[in-house]
Amino acid sequence: MGRQGSIFYRLLNSLKEQQSFGKSKYAVKKKAREEAIKNGLHGQDIFNSMNDAVFNAGIFSVQTYATYRNEVKRFADWCKSKGVKNKDFDKTKDMVSDYLSEKISLGQSAWSIKVARAALRKAYKDNNLANDIKIPERRLKDITRSRLERPDDKKINLDNYKDLVDFCKSSGLKRREVSAITANDIYKKDDRLYVHVKNGKGGKTREVPVLKKYQPKIESILKKLKIEEMKGYLQGFQNILIYTAET
């Protein structure tokens, strides 16, 4: 038998085989739901069918792929620290439960553990992998990143970004969604401002109403900039959001 590569190499190849960048997760879920209903399924069975379809369809996001790559690298390094040789790759799948249990015992966050499990399930192409491990519930109070004041916050003069902050508060859009907004995506209907999101989570389009208390401010921003075509982009650096509008 020829050389098959390291543990990490083989797990990474599995992830590469499942790249589906640009494919619509929403379309996959919609089709799976329609087929499940057509086959007479109900309730949780429909949800399970949709979940299986999404899992089998691959990895939709470049960012998700990068996250999974890092997670399988950590697992591969952990296997090596336990004395597992590359030739014993077939044994590594049975070690996933022990790996996750160790992360739980170290007090790692529920989010981190779930991401690790999701990455390894994808790498081993087994959506039920490590089902025997009970992962702690995620609790809002345990999330501290970007929710509390940080020393670097003192370096930021939020007055310089007030228009951007107000726009984000008014719509609740994700950073990636804001980066794709153009002037034509902000419109008025029945005296209410809306933002048209072309490609939201799961590839969905959606119409987001601007909160009424912010509407005069957003109208003022648009008028002030005299926009024919607005391009917004966000640059992430220590939680700083920078907005640029070009006329």
Side-chain angles (χ1 to χ4, degrees):
M1 182 181 294
R3 184 174 180 272
Q4 294 182 315
S6 68
I7 295 171
F8 172 61
Y9 176 82
R10 295 178 69 174
L11 292 174
L12 183 61
N13 271 353
S14 176
L15 293 180
K16 288 180 177 179
E17 291 170 359
Q18 299 177 75
Q19 291 177 349
S20 296
F21 305 152
K23 189 174 182 179
S24 171
K25 182 188 292 187
Y26 173 71
V28 172
K29 292 171 69 175
K30 182 180 178 182
K31 182 179 179 181
R33 184 177 185 277
E34 291 172 349
E35 290 180 353
I37 293 174
K38 184 178 179 180
N39 292 330
L41 300 182
H42 302 279
Q44 186 64 37
D45 290 334
I46 293 178
F47 176 81
N48 291 340
S49 294
M50 293 168 62
N51 185 46
D52 289 341
V54 169
F55 182 83
N56 294 328
I59 302 171
F60 301 89
S61 162
V62 174
Q63 183 175 348
T64 299
Y65 172 79
T67 299
Y68 285 3
R69 182 190 185 281
N70 291 337
E71 290 297 336
V72 299
K73 179 65 166 64
R74 293 189 185 100
F75 175 69
D77 290 343
W78 179 84
C79 288
K80 289 177 65 177
S81 74
K82 299 299 182 182
V84 180
K85 305 296 183 183
N86 292 333
K87 65 179 182 179
D88 297 322
F89 174 80
D90 291 342
K91 297 179 180 179
T92 60
K93 183 176 179 180
D94 292 333
M95 299 176 68
V96 171
S97 291
D98 289 340
Y99 175 67
L100 297 178
S101 294
E102 185 173 303
K103 292 172 78 69
I104 293 172
S105 67
L106 291 173
Q108 295 189 15
S109 72
W111 182 87
S112 297
I113 298 166
K114 285 187 175 182
V115 170
R117 185 180 66 179
L120 292 168
R121 283 180 170 180
K122 188 67 74 172
Y124 286 105
K125 300 180 181 179
D126 182 352
N127 202 21
N128 295 308
L129 183 61
N131 263 352
D132 56 316
I133 300 301
K134 182 175 176 57
I135 296 178
E137 293 294 325
R138 294 176 64 180
R139 298 179 299 178
L140 187 62
K141 68 178 184 179
D142 294 332
I143 303 174
T144 58
R145 186 181 65 177
S146 301
R147 292 180 180 271
L148 302 176
E149 289 188 3
R150 301 287 185 181
D152 285 335
D153 291 346
K154 296 178 181 179
K155 303 176 184 178
I156 305 171
N157 184 355
L158 292 179
D159 289 339
N160 293 337
Y161 312 106
K162 196 170 188 317
D163 286 351
L164 171 62
V165 172
D166 285 340
F167 179 76
C168 291
K169 285 182 176 180
S170 75
S171 59
L173 300 187
K174 298 176 177 63
R175 283 184 289 180
R176 181 176 60 80
E177 293 173 339
V178 175
S179 70
I181 293 298
T182 68
N184 290 334
D185 296 322
I186 304 173
Y187 64 94
K188 202 168 189 178
K189 180 180 179 182
D190 298 329
D191 292 325
R192 186 78 181 272
L193 272 184
Y194 289 85
V195 181
H196 174 67
V197 177
K198 302 184 187 73
N199 186 21
K201 185 175 181 180
K204 297 180 184 178
T205 60
R206 59 191 180 113
E207 311 305 317
V208 180
V210 170
L211 292 177
K212 289 183 178 180
K213 69 177 182 178
Y214 285 102
Q215 182 160 317
K217 175 64 176 177
I218 304 306
E219 289 178 331
S220 174
I221 292 172
L222 296 177
K223 184 177 180 180
K224 178 177 64 176
L225 294 175
K226 298 179 180 179
I227 296 176
E228 290 183 0
E229 180 172 341
M230 179 178 71
K231 293 182 179 179
Y233 64 87
L234 299 176
Q235 295 177 328
F237 179 72
Q238 295 179 340
N239 298 324
I240 299 175
L241 298 180
I242 301 175
Y243 176 71
T244 295
E246 298 177 350
T247 57

